[in-house]
Amino acid sequence: MATKSEHPDSNLYPHATGPAKAIVDAHQAEQPLKLFSGWFCPFVQRAWTVLEEKKIPYQYIEVNPYHKPASLLALNPRGLVPTLQYQDKPLYESTVLCEFLEDAYPDHGPRLLPRDPYERARVRIWTDFCTSRLIPAFHRFLQWQPLSDGEGLGRVREEFLGRLMELAEEMDGEGPFFLGKEPTLIDFVVAPWIVRLWVFDHFKHGLGIPEGADEDAVWSRFGKWRQALEGRPSIKNTTSEREHYLPIYQRYADDTAQSELAKATRQGKGVP
């Protein structure tokens, strides 16, 4: 239990588990590119999956961002993860990091931004949609209280499902990924929240995708995409065992979490 001097959310399992631990253990050697990370954080997982997808050499450094070690604060005054140290210089903000890795390491792994300018712009439009619309709706649903207010819970559930449907309607018809057969940046930017959709079954009486959704073209396409993301090695192997996420998401579900995102959600704001 956190003491009075500790951040109330600081009591975290100390390291990644399951397949993610193997990835962490394989990236302990000194490297010019360093990822300051929190194994549990979906914003971290955005950059982490891109590093893995492109097979860029990096050193993984686990930090508890609620304790904000001096090594992290020296790079990022806000003390947030993910933060990259690149040639002894700091970089942060998860979507910025993802695009940086694409630009700075063009010879590593698959291209995650299309060459076509129009398709690149579409990826950026829907990347912004995920951060500005989808993730806030995810948290309004997850943090809704009280559960006894079924009408209010239904309202935030429908808002979130509406955002998922908006995204699915823009996907390539065949897929399985957003733009087609191969994943692009948009897939990795939103994947951490898609692989955490189980939190609604666990804490909020279900995600609520309509019955018979398999017969609906949009929801069927969404299901195909979700399955592709969950099976992608770079995503699956940066995900820890569910039991260690439960205490974290319990605090969100109870609306007692004190992260910057949780507080912004309570204030009716977007991603800080």
Side-chain angles (χ1 to χ4, degrees):
M1 189 170 180
T3 66
K4 288 183 179 179
S5 61
E6 290 183 319
H7 191 285
D9 292 347
S10 65
N11 186 20
L12 300 164
Y13 198 76
H15 55 74
T17 60
K21 186 178 187 303
I23 297 292
V24 169
D25 291 347
H27 289 86
Q28 292 302 297
E30 185 78 20
Q31 291 286 348
L33 182 66
K34 305 178 191 302
L35 173 66
F36 286 77
S37 177
W39 66 265
F40 60 92
C41 176
F43 294 97
V44 162
Q45 196 174 13
R46 284 174 158 179
W48 196 7
T49 56
V50 170
L51 285 164
E52 285 296 308
E53 190 71 24
K54 293 180 73 67
K55 296 179 172 55
I56 298 169
Y58 66 96
Q59 180 182 359
Y60 182 102
I61 300 172
E62 184 72 47
V63 297
N64 185 326
Y66 299 114
H67 287 157
K68 300 191 186 307
S71 57
L72 177 60
L73 288 170
L75 295 167
N76 183 344
R78 296 180 69 194
L80 300 178
V81 291
T83 290
L84 284 181
Q85 185 176 347
Y86 172 75
Q87 297 178 353
D88 293 323
K89 296 174 288 190
L91 288 167
Y92 36 87
E93 302 299 339
S94 61
T95 53
V96 173
L97 297 186
C98 291
E99 288 211 28
F100 165 78
L101 293 170
E102 174 78 347
D103 292 339
Y105 297 90
D107 299 327
H108 283 77
R111 289 185 61 86
L112 300 181
L113 280 170
R115 294 183 186 276
D116 179 76
Y118 176 77
E119 290 300 324
R120 286 172 74 96
R122 281 193 71 232
V123 166
R124 289 184 172 122
I125 286 169
W126 290 99
T127 292
D128 178 75
F129 173 86
C130 291
T131 300
S132 64
R133 301 288 188 271
L134 187 69
I135 295 170
F138 179 105
H139 274 270
R140 281 191 287 273
F141 184 9
L142 180 59
Q143 291 178 229
W144 180 263
Q145 285 291 339
L147 278 180
S148 58
D149 180 2
E151 182 179 345
L153 182 64
R155 186 169 61 251
V156 291
R157 176 185 285 115
E158 287 305 311
E159 179 199 8
F160 180 59
L161 291 177
R163 297 304 190 191
L164 289 179
M165 182 169 276
E166 282 183 74
L167 189 65
E169 286 172 339
E170 290 295 321
M171 293 177 188
D172 172 80
E174 291 299 319
F177 296 102
F178 189 86
L179 286 185
K181 292 181 180 179
E182 298 300 326
T184 55
L185 198 63
I186 178 64
D187 296 294
F188 298 106
V189 162
V190 72
W193 287 268
I194 300 304
V195 300
R196 287 164 172 77
L197 290 178
W198 58 265
V199 299
F200 299 111
D201 292 328
H202 193 91
F203 294 114
K204 297 293 169 175
H205 306 322
L207 176 58
I209 290 177
E211 290 186 19
D214 290 344
E215 300 171 9
D216 180 283
V218 175
W219 283 121
S220 177
R221 180 66 184 87
F222 172 79
K224 185 177 184 179
W225 177 64
R226 180 181 181 181
Q227 187 174 27
L229 295 183
E230 290 174 340
R232 189 75 178 180
S234 62
I235 297 168
K236 182 167 60 177
N237 294 338
T238 54
T239 303
S240 286
E241 294 165 326
R242 186 174 295 186
E243 64 184 285
H244 301 300
Y245 292 102
L246 286 172
I248 298 167
Y249 285 103
Q250 182 73 65
R251 290 192 285 270
Y252 279 99
D254 293 341
D255 200 23
T256 60
Q258 295 299 314
S259 70
E260 294 303 312
L261 179 53
K263 290 187 285 187
T265 301
R266 278 193 287 275
Q267 295 166 4
K269 299 178 180 178
V271 176

